[in-house]
Amino acid sequence: MLDDIIEVVLELILDGMVEAAGSKKVPMPVRIALTAVLGLLALALFGLLLWVGISSGSVLLIVLDVVLLPAFIACVYFKVKKYKIQKG
C-alpha cells in the first residue's frame, strides 16, 4: 500500500518536472533548474545501479549500467542538439 502511494507521488512529481522543463510558459531559469535536477536523479539512478551491481557481484547489472549510461548520455545529447537546431 505504501509502495503504491510513493510510486504515484513520485510519478506525479517527475512527470510534472518533465512537462515543466519542456514548457515555454515556465521561465528559463526554472526550466534549467528542473532539467538539472532530472539529470542528477538519472545519474544517481545509474550510480545506484552500478553500486548494487558491484556490491552483489552481479556482472549483468554492471554491464547493464555500462550500456545504459552512454545510451542515456547520447539521447540527451541528441535532444539538446535538436532543440538548438529548432531554436536557431
Side-chain angles (χ1 to χ4, degrees):
M1 179 71 176
L2 185 61
D3 292 340
D4 295 332
I5 294 171
I6 291 172
E7 179 182 353
V8 168
V9 169
L10 283 176
E11 186 174 325
L12 284 173
I13 291 171
L14 290 176
D15 284 344
M17 287 175 71
V18 168
E19 290 297 321
S23 175
K24 299 287 184 186
K25 295 179 182 178
V26 178
M28 184 61 81
V30 175
R31 284 191 280 167
I32 291 171
L34 290 173
T35 305
V37 169
L38 284 172
L40 288 174
L41 285 174
L43 289 176
L45 181 66
F46 285 116
L48 179 66
L49 187 66
L50 183 65
W51 179 61
V52 168
I54 290 172
S55 66
S56 67
S58 174
V59 177
L60 180 64
L61 280 178
I62 296 170
V63 169
L64 183 68
D65 190 54
V66 168
V67 169
L68 286 179
L69 182 60
F72 173 75
I73 291 171
C75 181
V76 169
Y77 172 76
F78 288 122
K79 289 275 188 184
V80 169
K81 189 175 180 182
K82 180 181 172 184
Y83 175 74
K84 285 185 178 182
I85 290 172
Q86 287 178 354
K87 189 173 180 173

